[in-house]
Amino acid sequence: MEQDKIFERLMQLVIHYYHDRDQGKFVDYLDLEPLRQRLGLEDERGRGDWDALFTWVERYLAHAVRTDHPAYLNRMWAGANLPSVIGEVIVAVTNTSACTFETAPVSTLMEKYLLQTMLDLVGFKGGCGQMTTGSSNANMLAMMAARNDLQPEAKQRGLFGSSHLVAMVNADAHYSMDRAANILGLGTDHLLKVPVDDHGRMRIPALEGLLAETVASGGKPFFVVATAGTTVRGSYDLVEPLLKLRERYGFWLHVDGAWGGSVIFSDRLRRRFLPALAQADSFTLDFHKMMGTALMCNVLLFNRQPVFLREVCSAGDESYIFHQGEGDEVRDLGTLSLQCGRRVDSLKWFLDWKFYGQAGLAERVERYLELCQYAEDQVDRLPELEMVAPRESFNVCFRFRSPEGIPAAPFNQALRERLHRSGRALVGTGYVNGQLALRLLITNINVGKPEIDHFFQSVIETGRELLAERSGRP
Ligand SMILES: *Cc1c(COP(=O)(O)O)cnc(C)c1O
């Protein structure tokens, strides 16, 4: 088959998928083993055969989870903005690595433009940053920067013989923090989890106590994280009191805004949720979550000059690849990164940014917050449902009220499974104060009030079904 025909055939499949993406069920669910059988992965056909190749593509699409579907309410991302999808296609076709100006000239300038735009928006004057593979990596890199800021010699000597370093995070912080503590040689025991208040925010007196105890026992508290939008509850740690403690203890203050950092696009929401952000030491935000850019798309910003980041990241002989030309301007973004090959993530962000603009993204977050308010109101109104904890921001943690004698957690877990397997809806779960909650997240521009109503109706119907089956039993 000639190339043009191949592309035409591909586009037909894409158009077909895209057309139906919000129709019918969000997934044609098969369990692991039946799906393995159905896919016929061992099938030998295919060598040099474009027809066979497209059969594989069709099989993939037949059981793909339609993340654009309004019943897909499970994760912090859903679907992807069309401008960014266009960016992804171009990136795939032009396959290159964004580590040097040589191989990725336009991407380098777009990424620099992105970084400057975001630094200006956040208010990190003279700062620097990079696009990373996501906030898990960004959190690790921020922790590493904090470690090397305090002990620059750690880069050569490691942590052997160093004072014992301690990091502190919200008890509900993302698990990537524990992984970072492992990777960086701190050990997860030295990642202290700060108990939370009724709003799911770190209790400042508790943090203060941990800081004092750590110092008294000869430890060094070097890294404190404010989570801007915790994973399950969506709580925002207060940044101002942490700034005061930073003056006293001299730690690095990182803000993990992977999820809730998107409020920075709206002046109103930023004043409400993240007023003191500009004074933090570093900040991470995932564009691929609330902002809808295609996965993965992240920015990590430092309130430090680029030379600092270069110091932190560089190691080994890079002379074969990086050729810093005349002048001070960083040309090769790979010099500020821990990766060698780097995916081009700048184009999809750039296209989204130009297409929607800050005003469009601000409207989007504001609308999501209104929809969350609407969803909470529905839970309060519908007798079958209840909130597990009051809503803090964008996360709606609720459950089906199970009757006396039926424990709520296994019942709601079973309800969730039934919703999923029947292809009716996919919603996440998480624990709030030890209680299992269904976690509704709205990050899909195709979701409005009618879709939310429909979702709650599905939950209620499914709950009733389960109850009817139970009472049918002897
Ligand atoms: C999603 C999330 C992360 C992890 O981000 P990835 O981009 O998925 O690696 C970290 N922290 C918080 C608060 C998150 O919501």
Side-chain angles (χ1 to χ4, degrees):
M1 211 186 296
E2 47 171 313
Q3 254 169 41
D4 291 2
K5 286 265 172 332
I6 294 170
F7 275 112
E8 271 166 30
R9 195 151 167 194
L10 170 63
M11 286 323 290
Q12 273 167 13
L13 285 172
V14 169
I15 291 167
H16 185 72
Y17 176 80
Y18 218 75
H19 188 261
D20 287 350
R21 71 201 196 281
D22 52 3
Q23 309 291 315
K25 295 175 175 183
F26 79 92
V27 68
D28 183 2
Y29 183 83
L30 280 182
D31 215 350
L32 190 103
E33 203 42 52
L35 180 59
R36 185 180 280 137
Q37 301 292 334
R38 174 78 61 87
L39 292 175
L41 300 171
E42 310 293 334
D43 195 335
E44 295 289 346
R45 268 187 331 127
R47 185 151 183 226
D49 178 350
W50 290 104
D51 287 327
L53 184 130
F54 279 107
T55 310
W56 290 118
V57 174
E58 280 164 11
R59 284 182 206 174
Y60 184 96
L61 289 174
H63 296 278
V65 176
R66 296 168 187 264
T67 59
D68 281 284
H69 196 291
Y72 182 83
L73 298 156
N74 176 47
R75 301 289 299 276
M76 296 185 151
W77 42 266
N81 303 328
L82 195 47
S84 77
V85 171
I86 293 171
E88 284 294 76
V89 172
I90 300 300
V91 165
V93 172
T94 54
N95 192 44
T96 192
S97 167
C99 61
T100 64
F101 179 71
E102 240 168 42
T103 51
V106 183
S107 170
T108 302
L109 291 176
M110 284 180 172
E111 185 167 342
K112 281 167 158 285
Y113 172 79
L114 151 90
L115 291 169
Q116 200 49 56
T117 305
M118 287 299 134
L119 288 165
D120 290 345
L121 187 60
V122 167
F124 287 176
K125 292 209 177 59
C128 64
Q130 62 175 274
M131 298 188 83
T132 80
T133 59
S135 284
S136 300
N137 258 336
N139 286 334
M140 193 269 289
L141 204 57
M143 191 187 278
M144 178 178 162
R147 185 192 71 180
N148 289 24
D149 189 41
L150 178 74
Q151 301 187 344
E153 70 283 1
K155 185 164 145 182
Q156 286 82 25
R157 296 193 207 134
L159 292 181
F160 305 102
S162 89
S163 55
H164 99 228
L165 298 176
V166 178
M168 294 172 196
V169 299
N170 184 311
D172 297 335
H174 191 256
Y175 67 80
S176 53
M177 294 296 172
D178 303 67
R179 298 192 175 178
N182 174 16
I183 296 165
L184 293 171
L186 242 69
T188 51
D189 285 354
H190 300 115
L191 180 79
L192 305 187
K193 307 283 176 78
V194 182
V196 296
D197 64 14
D198 291 344
H199 295 279
R201 304 175 299 208
M202 282 193 284
R203 283 180 44 229
I204 300 301
L207 172 62
E208 228 172 328
L210 289 173
L211 286 164
E213 275 169 38
T214 301
V215 172
S217 64
K220 184 71 201 165
F222 78 110
F223 186 65
V224 175
V225 180
T227 305
T230 53
T231 313
V232 178
R233 280 190 72 177
S235 308
Y236 283 72
D237 280 322
L238 296 171
V239 174
E240 291 90 335
L242 304 183
L243 294 170
K244 293 218 180 67
L245 289 173
R246 181 178 66 179
E247 269 170 41
R248 183 135 39 102
Y249 290 95
F251 51 76
W252 178 289
L253 177 57
H254 174 60
V255 177
D256 178 358
W259 166 233
S262 293
V263 295
I264 62 167
F265 298 109
S266 153
D267 292 340
R268 181 161 61 81
L269 297 190
R270 179 178 178 164
R271 274 198 301 278
R272 175 166 159 200
F273 289 108
L274 273 177
L277 175 62
Q279 293 162 74
D281 294 290
S282 53
F283 172 62
T284 177
L285 164 68
D286 278 341
F287 292 108
H288 64 241
K289 289 184 170 169
M290 217 180 288
M291 293 296 95
T293 304
L295 286 158
M296 311 281 293
C297 194
N298 166 272
V299 66
L300 169 64
L301 302 174
F302 290 95
N303 212 345
R304 296 285 192 286
Q305 299 191 345
V307 39
F308 166 77
L309 194 52
R310 172 97 183 111
E311 272 299 306
V312 167
C313 291
S314 70
D317 180 3
E318 333 162 308
S319 58
Y320 80 96
I321 180 166
F322 299 130
H323 312 289
Q324 178 66 27
E326 297 291 299
D328 293 337
E329 183 170 351
V330 177
R331 297 169 66 91
D332 295 338
L333 294 176
T335 58
L336 306 182
S337 167
L338 296 181
Q339 297 162 243
C340 175
R342 296 178 75 233
R343 245 181 83 81
V344 172
D345 289 329
S346 60
L347 178 62
K348 59 188 169 194
W349 172 83
F350 186 84
L351 297 180
D352 275 346
W353 183 253
K354 292 296 175 186
F355 190 82
Y356 299 107
Q358 186 186 334
L361 298 179
E363 276 166 27
R364 186 182 301 209
V365 259
E366 287 170 7
R367 176 168 170 273
Y368 284 156
L369 195 62
E370 280 160 22
L371 288 174
C372 291
Q373 170 74 60
Y374 175 77
E376 185 182 31
D377 292 345
Q378 298 316 301
V379 172
D380 289 340
R381 193 178 61 78
L382 294 162
E384 292 87 350
L385 307 180
E386 63 184 343
M387 293 293 287
V388 172
R391 186 177 54 89
E392 289 300 318
S393 64
F394 297 89
N395 307 30
V396 182
C397 294
F398 75 103
R399 66 181 174 190
F400 190 96
R401 279 180 209 265
S402 56
E404 282 272 324
I406 300 182
F411 183 81
N412 278 275
Q413 194 72 54
L415 194 163
R416 185 216 183 233
E417 290 303 305
R418 172 78 60 101
L419 273 174
H420 178 193
R421 288 167 188 236
S422 61
R424 278 182 263 193
L426 192 58
V427 65
T429 56
Y431 285 89
V432 179
N433 303 326
Q435 307 269 8
L436 183 87
L438 303 176
R439 182 192 65 166
L440 170 65
L441 299 176
I442 301 165
T443 52
N444 184 335
I445 48 173
N446 305 317
V447 170
K449 290 178 182 173
E451 288 74 21
I452 293 173
D453 290 341
H454 187 257
F455 166 70
F456 285 134
Q457 278 318 310
S458 306
V459 172
I460 292 171
E461 274 164 29
T462 308
R464 285 189 183 144
E465 252 172 54
L466 286 172
L467 289 178
E469 285 166 24
R470 276 181 159 262
S471 59
R473 278 182 207 155

